[in-house]
Amino acid sequence: MYRRRLKQKAMLLAVLLGFLIILIMPGREREEKSAPEEGEKLVIPQEDEEYTAVPEETWTMPDADAGIRVLLLAEDGGIWHEEQELEREYPGKLQYYEEEEGWVIVNEVPLEEYLCRVVPSEMPSSYAGEALKAQAVCARTYAVWQMQEYAYPQYEAHVNDSVTYQVYNQIDSQETTRQAVEATAGQIMLYEGRPVKAYYFATSCGSTTDENIWEKGNREQTPYIAGRRTGTSESVKDLTDEDTFAGFIRRKHAGDLEISEPWYRWNCYVSLEQIGQNVRNWAKARMDHSADGILWKDGENYILPEQYEIGTMEKAEIVTRNTGGAVHELLLTGSDGVLKVKYEYNIRLMLGIPGGVIHKNDGSEGEGGNLLPSGYFVMEPVEEDGELKGYRLWGGGLGHGAGMSQNGARVLAEEGCRYDEILQYFYHEIQLAGLE
């Protein structure tokens, strides 16, 4: 009898204990999920799983359903079209403004649909999926940053469809790029709670720069574009020093992300005659475009010029370099005066070789254009019979060199990096956010 009662009590105790465990465990599980331990490692999914990073913050203006207004440039690069009819089809709606000079056409399109026609126009659709996702986030972030004001207020257009902003609808939406846009839907980059200036370019020379390469650039306001060595090299070099940069750009460096890319290294010849022609072609236009990009030497000072004709070209020399080695100031000396040329775009114009030959890293040759491939180069004098005739330029990279290198992103993706890791690689201390 006693043993039977004891057995009954033991069974009752076991039932109560089990009931208590059932009550306790779900609460504990919920607590663990809502408050992961400090330093918990990110679990990387297998290759056959679709990966999407979880945004850390939200951004409310514009919202996820916002539309962007794109001014469509005419074939000559101006804003006026002779006819209303366009050769390409566009999503969204078109608005027409009739002016004396012609038609101004603005395409209002949902942001995500806009990106489906930007990403393939800016990055080959054959690139690795994670690189395409990184490009999609960059393009979306750049668009959101531009949408905070109008580039063309009289037409309420945020951007145009050219490389001045982002190339739009030059290539139709592709399956791979649309998937990249959809996989990252609404995701942008923030720094200290604000959208970043998500600059990107084609190929690095093994180093990137900050936004002081441009007239209105301010590295203090954009510390996330700080410039970096792109690769596995841990050596720290001051590439603003002329001799140090010369040693850097004249060599290839094992471990650089883009060491196998055609534009990783290049060289070309530019004659004094060509430089003089470039000054005649571009100096006046660039003076009108920038406040201090072209300056005239007046004694020991450099002033805003009243003229730009410097006569027969005699000499060109690099004065200063920006972060990462990009040329920042160039002196052009002629028989009638001296010009100081500042900022990467102006400098690349003054040393362009339209119709010339550029020898690339892979042994192939490319045709030169109005713009030098990049601002990362050194100048080697070329003489005939003791007389300076021009310069052999030894350079590297393609594009302005600030922000994300697109071919660097491709290499990182091929090495197994996720798109959020690629973005963190090129933009310092950014956070992913989702548009609400």
Side-chain angles (χ1 to χ4, degrees), residues 118-188:
V118 167
V119 176
S121 299
E122 290 282 4
M123 178 179 276
S125 59
S126 60
Y127 276 21
E130 295 301 306
L132 294 173
K133 291 179 188 178
Q135 179 65 56
V137 176
C138 283
R140 186 182 293 106
T141 305
Y142 186 82
V144 167
W145 185 73
Q146 294 290 344
M147 289 168 70
Q148 296 177 88
E149 58 184 43
Y150 293 120
Y152 301 90
Q154 64 273 43
Y155 308 112
E156 295 185 342
H158 301 105
V159 295
N160 68 39
D161 61 350
S162 77
V163 294
T164 304
Y165 296 92
Q166 296 187 116
V167 180
Y168 167 61
N169 208 32
Q170 293 303 303
I171 296 179
D172 293 335
S173 177
Q174 305 292 308
E175 182 63 25
T176 54
T177 52
R178 179 173 287 276
Q179 288 174 357
V181 172
E182 291 174 353
T184 62
Q187 293 187 14
I188 64 171

Side-chain angles (χ1 to χ4, degrees), residues 42 51-57 187 419-420 431-434:
L42 176 67
Y51 174 71
T52 302
V54 179
E56 302 172 40
E57 302 183 38
Q187 293 187 14
Y419 73 94
D420 53 329
Q431 298 84 40
L432 282 181

Side-chain angles (χ1 to χ4, degrees), residues 84 179 269 302 319 351 391 398:
Q84 282 185 276
Q179 288 174 357
Y269 172 73
Y302 290 91
V319 181
L351 298 178
Y391 297 91
L398 179 63

Side-chain angles (χ1 to χ4, degrees), residues 3 26 36 87 92 94 117 119 131 139-140 149 173 186 240 245 264 299 301 333 361 383 390 394 404 414 417 428:
R3 284 196 301 269
E87 293 184 2
L94 296 173
R117 286 163 172 76
V119 176
R140 186 182 293 106
E149 58 184 43
S173 177
T240 64
F245 183 79
Y264 169 74
N301 300 314
T333 301
N361 184 51
E383 298 181 348
W394 299 90
M404 184 184 77
E414 290 172 350
C417 289
H428 300 257

Side-chain angles (χ1 to χ4, degrees), residues 275-347:
I275 298 173
Q277 185 60 52
N278 293 341
V279 171
R280 290 188 288 275
N281 288 345
W282 302 111
K284 178 63 168 62
R286 298 310 297 172
M287 285 177 193
D288 294 340
H289 187 272
S290 59
D292 68 340
I294 309 288
L295 300 173
W296 182 270
K297 186 174 183 181
D298 182 22
E300 297 299 316
N301 300 314
Y302 290 91
I303 61 174
L304 295 176
E306 296 181 358
Q307 66 172 33
Y308 63 92
E309 292 287 352
I310 59 176
T312 303
M313 185 61 55
E314 297 178 348
K315 183 174 64 171
E317 58 185 317
I318 295 167
V319 181
T320 61
R321 293 183 181 276
N322 196 47
T323 300
V327 178
H328 188 65
E329 293 179 317
L330 180 75
L331 280 188
L332 301 178
T333 301
S335 57
D336 297 336
V338 178
L339 289 180
K340 176 183 281 190
V341 183
K342 300 170 63 177
Y343 312 118
E344 66 92 29
Y345 189 87
N346 293 339
I347 291 167

